[in-house]
Amino acid sequence: MNKRDFIKKSSLGALGVALAPSFLQKLQLGPQDRLRTAHIGLGVQGLADLQDTASHPAVEVVALCDVDSTALANASARYPKARTYTDYRVLLREMKDQIDAVVVATPDHTHAPASLMAMELDKPVYCQKPLTHFVSESRAMKKMAAEKGLVTQMGIQVHSFYDYKLATLLIRDGIIGKVHTVRAWSPKEWGYNGPEPTGSDPVPEDLDWNLWLGTAPERPYKEGFYHPGAWRRIMDYGCGTLGDMGVHIFDTPYNALELDVPRTIMTECRPPTGFGYPENNTVTYEFPGTDYTAQSLKWVWYDGPGAPPEHEDLKLPNGDPLNDQGAMFLGEKGKLYLPHFMLEPKLIVDGQYQEMDVEKYELGTPVRNYASEGPKHYHEFVDACLGKAETSAPFDYAARLTETILLGTIAGRFPGETLHWDAKKARFKEGKANKYLKGKYRKF
């Protein structure tokens, strides 16, 4: 492919993934081509998703759902015409003929149950990251989206931001040659090294604890451990730092290098407790090679306090400090440093920063204001539902990325052991790890 063809292809879709036409679905919409949306999960991220989706001029918010009546009332005050629910199952059953698309922003363990029910009703779904809590769920959501030809999008908003698109194009254009290693990091601490709490606390009046637990195992409510902001630390509900920041920071290298799922995974962390994720993790993946990598690719993820450790691969020119979160691509010709977030990638060759000609990629002017850049990813989903665009992070892509993330969390249950993943059979060679690929849903 010559340079002109490369740039043309990049502007048409290489920034996301190769999308099959089946992912476009023209809906039977209401008057004036309005997209009627239902929103499940209205906490901090859910409220942001609601507002950014609703900022599209074609969107009409018709239903709101949350198990927390305070969060629900807060959202309802902004969109008073929308019907309100505490149980997403009731919402989807009662309003299946009055909604065109569904946005899911619950804790991780409810992503798949709510999304799959919506997709079963032929509704396009925007689901927050990580796509699912279990590998089996990721594969089920990918399969259903493909079979039904639904528009889908995972909530990795930076996927649509200027700097991440630019890094994707630079890597695919061979600016550092074939990539042999990626190192990525976040010092966030979505882990808990203590014991499982004992006893119980009164359930807050504004919370339906049974509905919050959903399909997860039943346990008593304990203040400060689950709702509203601590669930990411707990294995039954979240996916740790890897499932939070890892999805965002993995996304660009994963997309740029056109990776599939890894062959091996090894996590270094403290011994498992069966309750909380470790506070510090180093996860090493080995991926099959692609057109943009060496014969195989090594990927190392660091999280928790002190991440990343000092390493020769992560040294910057002039003794500059690393951004507290980011990724480093290492290739034949040099390094590409991508700090997180909304910061332009930097080319490093022979220990020095190098100028880059970025205008040829026709990405427009960089945006450094999240309020302006943020809604793009949501509007892309809305436009795709209206038959006017394609999504760049559909479940076909999001499921593979999420599977990669979840394999790392499973490896944390076997610290220091290398697990071998058979992608075709969706099984580990080490049989003891396979029981963590799916969960047993509680009836609620």
Side-chain angles (χ1 to χ4, degrees), residues 108 129-130 156 184-186 188-191 232-233 238-251 265-267 277-285 299-304 401-412:
D108 298 350
K129 56 78 193 167
I156 37 176
W185 63 92
S186 171
K188 278 198 173 183
E189 190 182 338
W190 283 121
R232 289 192 189 278
R233 307 175 192 272
C239 300
T241 306
L242 187 58
D244 178 29
M245 294 312 303
V247 181
H248 287 305
I249 297 170
F250 269 54
D251 175 47
I265 314 97
M266 192 269 284
T267 298
Y277 287 101
E279 293 176 356
N280 285 89
N281 300 270
T282 299
V283 187
T284 302
Y285 298 92
W299 185 309
V300 186
W301 165 259
Y302 311 94
D303 70 39
L401 174 57
T402 298
E403 182 172 313
T404 297
I405 294 289
L406 296 177
L407 295 177
T409 65
I410 293 172

Side-chain angles (χ1 to χ4, degrees), residues 10-326:
S10 299
S11 64
L12 291 175
L15 300 175
V17 290
L19 300 180
S22 63
F23 278 104
L24 278 177
Q25 179 193 59
K26 180 63 178 175
L27 303 172
Q28 297 298 316
L29 300 176
Q32 302 176 346
D33 277 357
R34 302 285 288 173
L35 187 76
R36 299 166 298 179
T37 60
H39 298 259
I40 301 170
L42 299 165
V44 175
Q45 186 60 56
L47 185 62
D49 287 357
L50 167 62
Q51 292 175 312
D52 281 338
T53 304
S55 68
H56 191 292
V59 166
E60 178 184 0
V61 177
V62 297
L64 302 169
C65 179
D66 202 287
V67 299
D68 185 314
S69 62
T70 299
L72 184 61
N74 188 27
S76 180
R78 290 168 167 79
Y79 303 93
K81 294 182 180 180
R83 291 177 62 179
T84 58
Y85 294 85
T86 56
D87 189 330
Y88 68 82
R89 300 168 300 179
V90 177
L91 183 163
L92 292 172
R93 284 195 297 264
E94 289 188 356
M95 296 196 69
K96 63 183 180 180
D97 297 326
Q98 301 167 59
I99 56 178
D100 303 310
V102 177
V103 178
V104 177
T106 63
D108 298 350
H109 68 288
T110 302
H111 284 184
S115 296
L116 286 167
M117 183 175 179
M119 288 194 291
E120 186 63 45
L121 297 172
D122 297 315
K123 305 304 178 187
V125 172
Y126 182 108
C127 180
Q128 259 306 323
K129 56 78 193 167
L131 188 63
T132 65
H133 193 233
F134 295 107
V135 170
S136 61
E137 295 172 331
S138 291
R139 294 206 167 202
M141 286 173 66
K142 175 183 175 181
K143 183 175 184 236
M144 186 177 290
E147 288 176 348
K148 288 180 169 283
L150 294 169
V151 171
T152 56
Q153 181 94 305
M154 181 166 76
I156 37 176
Q157 294 85 309
V158 297
H159 193 88
S160 299
F161 285 17
Y162 170 90
D163 301 303
Y164 304 88
K165 290 180 178 179
L166 175 59
T168 298
L169 294 179
L170 289 168
I171 290 297
R172 292 190 184 178
D173 202 15
I175 197 166
I176 60 171
K178 300 280 189 180
V179 177
H180 57 80
T181 305
V182 172
R183 295 185 184 273
W185 63 92
S186 171
K188 278 198 173 183
E189 190 182 338
W190 283 121
Y192 172 69
N193 288 344
E196 183 173 353
T198 58
S200 64
D201 291 323
V203 177
E205 291 184 1
D206 59 358
L207 176 64
D208 188 316
W209 180 236
N210 177 59
L211 291 180
W212 188 94
L213 287 169
T215 57
E218 187 170 359
R219 61 163 35 95
Y221 174 81
K222 192 70 177 175
E223 187 175 353
F225 275 86
Y226 312 117
H227 179 79
W231 52 267
R232 289 192 189 278
R233 307 175 192 272
I234 310 305
M235 288 180 167
D236 281 348
Y237 315 118
C239 300
T241 306
L242 187 58
D244 178 29
M245 294 312 303
V247 181
H248 287 305
I249 297 170
F250 269 54
D251 175 47
T252 300
Y254 190 88
N255 180 41
L257 298 171
E258 293 189 346
L259 299 176
D260 201 345
V261 294
R263 285 192 288 231
T264 67
I265 314 97
M266 192 269 284
T267 298
E268 297 174 79
C269 59
R270 54 109 170 115
T273 66
F275 179 70
Y277 287 101
E279 293 176 356
N280 285 89
N281 300 270
T282 299
V283 187
T284 302
Y285 298 92
E286 187 263 322
F287 288 90
T290 73
D291 290 344
Y292 303 105
T293 73
Q295 189 171 359
S296 65
L297 177 83
K298 179 180 181 180
W299 185 309
V300 186
W301 165 259
Y302 311 94
D303 70 39
E310 289 188 12
H311 195 284
E312 185 67 26
D313 289 348
L314 299 177
K315 287 185 177 178
L316 297 180
N318 312 318
D320 291 349
L322 285 171
N323 198 58
D324 64 348
Q325 302 183 100

